[in-house]
Amino acid sequence: MALITELNGQKLDVDWGLLELDRLDCEDSLYTFIQKAWKFIDPAPFQGGWAIEAICEHLEAVCDGEIRRLLINIPPRMSKSSVTSVAFPAWVWAQRNASPTSGPRVPFLHASYGYNLSLRDSVKCRRLIKSTWYRKLWGERFEIVKEQDQKVRFRNSVDGERLITSIGSGVTGEGGNIIIVDDPNAADEALSDTVTRTTNEEWWDGTMGTRLNDPKTG
């Protein structure tokens, strides 16, 4: 069955049955979503594997509320940031089942040891959500609002939000239902007891770890 619809003022003739199957496949599997979304995330060809599949499986459990504290340790250059900080928030917002950690209303709070890294992934995530492919599948559910459409912070039309910060920065008054800390320490500082103690005890225990909007569900 064909349907004439409109996207950004342009009429589109699509096979609605195939479109719906594509949408359901992507919503059901974060790994499938990443494979189809990859060209909007990274210019290099997608290289899959069991490690990415394992990360996706655990992140799906986070979205479903089955895992509330997840620690991912894998070697560098294995797409950890692209999966967790770029694709995962966009995938969560694409879910039709609404919960504190699922659906387009979910607020995200992201941090990294380097502000530029947090900014990089925020830009990539926003670009993915604004892509023609993503809008064709989920554009009727929400859109990025013009009043809050920045690299540091962007909000959608149903009050979902993605906000970034960095290790050591203040986040007074801010919070999220899902907090993602991607590389809390630089590689050349990871073995420093002083740096890791400062990150763990002062920044995480004293600040970031208290930023969940609801500690029971976030």
Side-chain angles (χ1 to χ4, degrees):
M1 179 177 67
L3 173 70
I4 303 296
T5 187
E6 191 170 290
L7 177 66
N8 297 329
Q10 295 181 341
K11 289 186 177 180
L12 300 174
D13 189 0
V14 298
D15 186 320
W16 184 253
L18 292 177
L19 187 67
E20 185 65 14
L21 286 175
D22 194 26
R23 177 167 33 227
L24 291 174
D25 285 345
C26 288
E27 290 177 17
D28 186 60
S29 168
L30 176 56
Y31 189 70
T32 299
F33 176 86
I34 289 172
Q35 289 176 284
K36 294 180 179 292
W38 188 259
K39 63 182 179 181
F40 304 104
I41 298 174
D42 195 302
F46 177 74
Q47 298 292 332
W50 68 266
I52 296 180
E53 290 187 67
I55 294 174
C56 289
E57 182 179 351
H58 284 74
L59 289 175
E60 288 170 3
V62 171
C63 179
D64 292 338
E66 298 171 357
I67 293 178
R68 296 198 303 110
R69 300 292 185 274
L70 175 64
L71 179 64
I72 300 171
N73 282 319
I74 59 174
R77 310 302 299 167
M78 294 188 68
S79 301
K80 170 177 53 63
S81 295
S82 294
V83 175
T84 60
S85 297
V86 180
F88 179 58
W91 180 78
V92 167
W93 280 5
Q95 298 301 302
R96 65 183 63 203
N97 295 325
S99 77
T101 52
S102 176
R105 295 181 181 274
V106 175
F108 282 85
L109 183 57
H110 290 252
S112 178
Y113 75 86
Y115 184 78
N116 287 338
L117 294 178
S118 296
L119 190 65
R120 176 202 65 187
D121 292 336
S122 179
V123 170
K124 287 184 177 182
C125 182
R126 186 179 65 164
R127 184 175 64 208
L128 169 59
I129 291 171
K130 286 186 170 185
S131 69
T132 302
W133 171 77
Y134 190 97
R135 302 306 302 157
K136 183 172 67 174
L137 292 175
W138 299 286
E140 80 282 359
R141 298 185 187 175
F142 70 89
E143 59 184 14
I144 302 299
V145 297
K146 295 180 181 179
E147 294 79 8
Q148 191 66 71
D149 185 7
Q150 302 168 345
K151 296 177 181 180
V152 174
R153 182 181 209 151
F154 57 88
R155 180 188 296 268
N156 66 39
S157 53
V158 292
D159 291 334
E161 186 176 55
R162 190 188 189 286
L163 170 66
I164 69 169
T165 184
S166 59
I167 306 302
S169 298
V171 286
T172 302
E174 305 291 356
N177 286 11
I178 296 179
I179 295 175
I180 297 177
V181 181
D182 187 3
D183 291 329
N185 296 118
D188 58 356
E189 296 178 334
L191 298 180
S192 169
D193 291 338
T194 300
V195 172
T196 54
R197 187 181 306 110
T198 299
T199 300
N200 293 340
E201 298 178 3
E202 296 182 16
W203 182 77
W204 177 257
D205 292 342
T207 303
M208 199 66 167
T210 66
R211 296 292 94 194
L212 282 174
N213 289 336
D214 186 345
K216 294 181 179 180
T217 60

